Amino acid sequence: MESKTVRSTNNNYDMLNGSLLDKIVIFALPLAISSILQQLFNAADLAVVGRFASAEAMAAVGSNSSVISLIVSFFVGLSVGANAVIAMEIGSGHKDQISDTVHTVITISLVAGCALIFIGFFLTRPILILMAAPQNVMSLAILYLRIYFFAMPAIMIYNYGSAILRSKGDSRRPLFAMVIAGIINIILNLIFVVGFHMHVVGVALATVLSNMFSAGLILYYLMNEEEPFKLDFRKLSIKRRYLIRMMQIGLPAGLQGAVFSLSNVVIQSAVNSFGADAIAGGTAAANFDFVSYCAMNAFAQSAVTFTSQNYGARKFDRCKKVFRICMLCGIGISAAIVLVLVLFRYQVITLFTTDADVISFAMKRIMNAFVLHFLIGSYEISGGALRGMNHSLAPALISVFGTCVFRLIYVFTYIPTHHTFEQLFRVYPISWIITGTITLTVYFIVRAKEFSN
C-alpha cells in the first residue's frame, strides 16, 4: 500500500512543520471573507427587496432564513467530516485513500442536493404553516422557498468541494468562486427586482443562478487538480468505507447544525407572533450575527483542518498551539466586529430599511443578543478542535443541550409569561455561556486523555 506524504503545491501548504500563526491566519482569512461575503450577498437580497419592493416581500424572504439554515447547516456539517477525514489522511501519509474519499464526497453532494429539490418543493407549505408565518406574507414566502430549493445541488457541491480544497490548505479558490458568484447575485438582483419588478421571484432566481456559477467553478478546480485530489466524473461512486468515516465525524456535526437551526426555527416562530415588522427587523439584525459568526467559524474550521493533520501525524504539541491560536484570533476578531457594528448599528440597519417600526425591532435584537456574540467562540472553536481529534459526538451533544434544549425550554416556559421581543432574544447569550463552559471543560478532559497516549 502506498504511504507517501502529500507535499505542498501552489494551492496548499505544509501544516505539519514550521510556524502556525501566520499559516492559520492566512488559511482562515479567505474562509472568513468568503463566508462574510456570502452573507453580505444574502443581505443584499434583503436590502433590494426592502428598498425596492415592500416590507411584506422583505418579511417573506426573512421568514425562510431559519428553514434554509436548518437544511444547509445539516449538510454543511457533514462536509466537516469530509474535511477532517481527508486532512487526517494527508497527515498520516495515506495518499492512496484520498481519491476514493474525494469521489465519495462529491457523489454525496450531488445526491443530497437533487433530493432536496423534491423534498423542499412538497414540504414548503407545511413548514411555513408550522412556523406560523403571517398570512399576509405566506404566498410570497412559499414562492421564494420553492424557487430557492432549486439552488440546493449547487450549494451542496460548492460546500463539499470547498471542504475538499480546504483539507489540503486551499481556502483561496473557494473565496474567489464566492466573490464572483456574489457579484453575479447582486447584478441579477438589481436586474430582476429593480429592472423587471420580479420582487421575491427575482431574488430567488438570482440566488439559484449565482450558486450554479460558484458550484461550476469549484468543479472546474477539482477536475484540474493533481492526483489524488483530481475529480473524474467516471469515478463517481459512494465507497462504504469512506462514507462511514466521514459520517462518524460529519453526522454529529451535521445534526448539531440542524438542531441548532431547529431551535432558531422555534425562535423564528415566536418572532413571527410579533408581526411582519418584527420579522423584517429581526432578519435585518441577524445579518450582524452572521458577519461575526463567519469570522469566528473560519477559525473553528481552521481548528478542524490543522488539528486533523497534526493529530494524524501524532504532533500533539502543535495541536495545542493550534487551539490557542484559533481561540485567541477567533474571539478577538469577533469581538472587534461586534464593537464596530454596535457603534454603527443605526447606519447599517438603514441600509436595509427606513421603516421606523422595522428599525426599532432590529435595535432590540442587536442590544439584547448581538453585543455578546463573541462568546460563541468558546464552543465553536473548542468543538472544532475536538472534531480534529476525531471526537465529534461530544460537542454535538453539548450543543444540542445548550443551544437547542435550553432554548426550547426558555421559549415554551418563560416567554409565554414574559412575551416581549427583548426577553425572547436574551435566550441567546445565556445559551452561549452554558454551551461554552461545558464544551471547554470536555475539550481539556479529552485532550489530556488523547495526548497522554
Side-chain angles (χ1 to χ4, degrees), residues 256 259 379 387 394-405 435 439:
Q256 174 186 334
V259 170
Y379 65 86
R387 293 188 182 93
L397 291 177
I398 295 167
S399 289
V400 166
F401 169 76
T403 61
C404 183
V405 175
T435 308
T439 307

Side-chain angles (χ1 to χ4, degrees), residues 45 48-49 52-54 57 61 140 144 189 192-194 196-205:
D45 294 351
V48 170
V49 294
F52 299 102
S54 64
V61 175
L140 289 176
Y144 173 82
N189 274 338
F192 292 153
V193 178
V194 181
F196 295 109
H197 307 290
M198 296 174 69
H199 298 178
V200 297
V201 173
V203 171
L205 284 176

Side-chain angles (χ1 to χ4, degrees), residues 33-113:
I33 295 170
S34 177
S35 298
I36 290 172
L37 286 176
Q38 186 174 23
Q39 185 52 44
L40 289 177
F41 298 142
N42 293 336
D45 294 351
L46 289 171
V48 170
V49 294
R51 284 282 191 169
F52 299 102
S54 64
E56 287 75 19
M58 186 178 178
V61 175
S63 63
N64 285 301
S65 59
S66 296
V67 178
I68 294 168
S69 177
L70 171 63
I71 296 167
V72 173
S73 293
F74 174 74
F75 287 98
V76 170
L78 289 179
S79 74
V80 172
N83 185 338
V85 168
I86 297 174
M88 286 182 192
E89 289 169 352
I90 295 171
S92 58
H94 295 155
K95 180 178 178 180
D96 55 304
Q97 299 179 11
I98 295 175
S99 180
D100 286 337
T101 307
V102 166
H103 288 90
T104 296
V105 169
I106 294 299
T107 304
I108 291 172
S109 70
L110 288 168
V111 172

Side-chain angles (χ1 to χ4, degrees), residues 284 288 340-341 344-353 363:
F288 283 46
V340 171
L341 290 179
F344 295 97
R345 59 190 181 276
Y346 288 99
Q347 292 88 338
V348 176
I349 288 298
T350 53
L351 295 175
F352 295 93
T353 180
M363 293 301 109

